[in-house]
Each structure stands twice: as structure tokens, then as C-alpha cells.
Amino acid sequence: MAYQWYPGHMTKAKRMMQEDVKLVDLVIELTDARAPQSGRNPDIDELGKNKSRVILLNKADMADERQNVSWEAYFRSKGLCAGAVNSRTGGGMKRILNFIMEACQEKLERDRKRGIQNRPVRAMVAGIPNVGKSTFINSFAGKACAKTGNKPGVTRGKQWIRLNKNVELLDTPGILWPKIDDPQVGQRLAALGSIRDEIIQAEDLALWVIRFLQKNYPGSLTVRYQIAEEMDAVFLLGEVAKVRGCLRTGGEPDYEKAAALLLDDFRSGRLGRVTLEQAPA
């Protein structure tokens, strides 16, 4: 199934970002470490094409550790400063200032030659919905200075945050792009919660997650639900329903409730460390 979500406020947010990007030296793009490429909005590439760039693989603690290393190496091979972070717990956050200085080295050198001192690097923080931008800013700044939420679309307005004399951050709303051409990309984004649940078919998506785990991370469903995995995905979802008490009158499995439960377990990392796409060789 193809998943598309591009509400009107995203069009407005993109126009706002097109104006605001003129004010910054650097674009810090957050992407979910569990789908590093699928979670990158191509419009952000276009917005930041003449700016210094940093790519942060956020929520790295929920992604496959080997793939974190591979994806970081892949982005660096493309000439981008990149690193895996966990902004919720602070993992990897101490490296961010070094990334910013590395990415803006030419800008800082130009300022030095012109005699410009103590002008802070101004950075735009961008990414798709529900990738953890506000949590990242709060963690980086060391205080709750941006709204946070576990639903896509919480951040709507413009917020400048001065971290110190060296760096100022501009928070931006999460935006997708108007048409997701690759159904696999849409499925990955929906599985991670970057597309509103109200427009997805939870059962279909849960079955997709089950099949992906069976093929790529065997044993993860058994560990979580104490069920045998050598079954059809629909049967397995029914088993999850029985184990977790998602039953209709008469004892029939409630597939809709079981699907919502399984997706929540996946998104929160309770099904183990999973990456939905491999880094290119």
C-alpha cells in the first residue's frame, strides 16, 4: 500500500524554511537511524544545497548498531559530516559541536581572514515529522527550550535558540515531500510513525513489519511475545492478539488492536534494535 501525507501546514512550513535558510550558515538534518535514507526529505537537500551540512542519525539506540556504523561511513563518503546520536539519553551528543565546527570550517576561516570575530554559527535544524528534532535541541541546549511530542507535526512555529556564543539554532517544523514515489519508503516512514496513524491501514502495516522482522531479524517476535515465528504473518498477528489479550467477543483475535500494539512496540524499540534499510556498499 502507498502512504502519502502532505497537509497544508507543510506547504506553509516549506515556504517559511525557504526564507529562513537565507539566514543560516548550516543545515543540521536529523534522520531516523532506523531508515536513514528513506527518512531524508529531498526538499531539504534542495533547500540546503549552498549551505554547510551535518547529517545526524537520531534514535541510534533503537537501530542496528552495525548499520549505524555503515550509514555513518556512507554519508561521510558523500562528503557530509555525519554521526549517530541518541538525543533522548544524550548518546553521541558531545560530538555535535565538533561536527558543526568541521562542517563550517571554511566559513569560520573566511570570517577570521575578514577580521570577523565571535559571530556565532547559525544553524537550521530540519527533518521529517517525528524524527526527534525538538528532543535533540533540548538535549543539545541542556534545557527544555523547544516543544516535544510523540506525534508528527508538534512543532509549527519558528524558534531561535542560542546555545552559547558560538552557535545559534533555528528549530523548524517537520516536513515531508508532496509525493512519495517509492512504496517501500512510505511503508518505512509509516512504520516509524512519521506519517499520521489516522491515514494508514494499521493491520497491513503491522503485517509488513512482521514479514520484515521474520526475514531480517528472526527471533525478535519470539523474544517479545513468546510465540513461534515459522508461521504466516496473519497467523502471527493473531497469536500476538491472543498473547496480549486483544480479543473480541467470543475469543476471536482483534487484529486492529493487535496491529496497533505491535506497531507501538516496534516504534519504541521493544522489538529490538532494527534498521529497515541497509547502507549501500
Side-chain angles (χ1 to χ4, degrees), residues 52-72:
S52 299
R53 301 292 302 278
V54 170
I55 305 292
L56 297 179
L57 284 69
N58 198 25
K59 306 186 182 182
D61 60 313
M62 292 191 280
D64 186 323
E65 199 165 7
R66 293 167 300 177
Q67 283 298 316
N68 287 344
V69 173
S70 296
W71 276 107
E72 185 172 329

Side-chain angles (χ1 to χ4, degrees), residues 30-40 55-72 75 83-88 128-133 149-152 184-195 208-209 212-213 216-217 262-279:
L30 267 67
T31 185
D32 195 308
R34 294 168 292 177
Q37 191 62 45
S38 293
R40 296 190 64 212
I55 305 292
L56 297 179
L57 284 69
N58 198 25
K59 306 186 182 182
D61 60 313
M62 292 191 280
D64 186 323
E65 199 165 7
R66 293 167 300 177
Q67 283 298 316
N68 287 344
V69 173
S70 296
W71 276 107
E72 185 172 329
F75 287 127
V85 299
N86 176 11
S87 56
R88 185 173 50 84
I128 66 172
N130 207 28
V131 78
K133 294 184 301 300
N150 60 1
K151 288 188 176 182
Q184 288 275 344
V185 169
Q187 286 170 319
R188 292 175 191 133
L189 297 186
L192 296 175
S194 292
I195 294 174
W208 180 84
V209 170
F212 180 88
L213 294 174
N216 297 282
Y217 293 91
L262 185 139
L263 290 174
D264 185 61
D265 279 350
F266 174 74
R267 291 167 180 169
S268 60
R270 289 190 287 267
L271 293 177
R273 298 183 65 159
V274 174
T275 299
L276 295 174
E277 56 187 352
Q278 290 191 346

Side-chain angles (χ1 to χ4, degrees), residues 202-228:
E203 291 174 50
D204 289 344
L205 186 58
L207 293 175
W208 180 84
V209 170
I210 287 172
R211 293 179 183 116
F212 180 88
L213 294 174
Q214 283 179 305
K215 180 179 178 181
N216 297 282
Y217 293 91
S220 54
L221 295 167
T222 299
V223 170
R224 179 63 181 164
Y225 303 117
Q226 305 301 306
I227 57 177

Side-chain angles (χ1 to χ4, degrees), residues 10-25 27 43 46-48 51 122 124 158 160 170-173 175:
M10 289 190 186
T11 304
K12 181 180 177 182
K14 182 182 172 183
R15 284 198 298 265
M16 181 180 73
M17 289 170 69
Q18 286 170 331
E19 290 302 311
D20 291 341
V21 77
K22 300 170 186 175
L23 307 174
V24 304
D25 309 296
V27 175
D43 288 347
E46 181 64 23
L47 281 170
K51 303 292 178 179
R122 303 190 101 190
M124 173 183 283
K158 178 162 63 174
W160 278 103
L170 174 62
D171 193 14
T172 61
I175 59 169

Side-chain angles (χ1 to χ4, degrees), residues 79-250:
L80 296 164
C81 293
V85 299
N86 176 11
S87 56
R88 185 173 50 84
T89 63
M93 295 295 291
K94 290 181 179 178
R95 299 192 294 167
I96 305 300
L97 274 177
N98 290 337
F99 288 154
I100 291 173
M101 296 301 125
E102 179 186 345
C104 294
Q105 190 173 1
E106 290 184 11
K107 177 260 180 197
L108 294 170
E109 183 63 21
R110 284 196 306 271
D111 283 356
R112 188 187 66 79
K113 287 180 178 178
R114 294 170 181 169
I116 301 171
Q117 296 181 353
N118 300 322
R119 187 172 80 84
V121 171
R122 303 190 101 190
M124 173 183 283
V125 181
I128 66 172
N130 207 28
V131 78
K133 294 184 301 300
S134 296
T135 302
F136 162 75
I137 289 174
N138 292 343
S139 177
F140 194 20
K143 57 184 182 294
C145 52
K147 294 178 183 178
T148 60
N150 60 1
K151 288 188 176 182
V154 171
T155 306
R156 295 288 182 93
K158 178 162 63 174
Q159 298 184 74
W160 278 103
I161 298 99
R162 187 177 180 89
L163 295 184
N164 50 46
K165 66 179 183 179
N166 297 317
V167 180
E168 292 181 358
L169 297 181
L170 174 62
D171 193 14
T172 61
I175 59 169
L176 290 168
W177 52 108
K179 189 172 188 300
I180 300 172
D181 294 316
D182 185 344
Q184 288 275 344
V185 169
Q187 286 170 319
R188 292 175 191 133
L189 297 186
L192 296 175
S194 292
I195 294 174
R196 276 205 186 278
D197 283 340
E198 288 82 357
I199 70 163
I200 71 172
Q201 297 288 336
E203 291 174 50
D204 289 344
L205 186 58
L207 293 175
W208 180 84
V209 170
I210 287 172
R211 293 179 183 116
F212 180 88
L213 294 174
Q214 283 179 305
K215 180 179 178 181
N216 297 282
Y217 293 91
S220 54
L221 295 167
T222 299
V223 170
R224 179 63 181 164
Y225 303 117
Q226 305 301 306
I227 57 177
E229 292 187 6
E230 298 77 25
M231 303 290 178
D232 171 78
V234 176
F235 181 86
L236 276 179
L237 186 58
E239 291 298 290
V240 171
K242 292 174 187 175
V243 168
R244 290 309 166 95
C246 302
L247 303 173
R248 298 182 184 276
T249 304

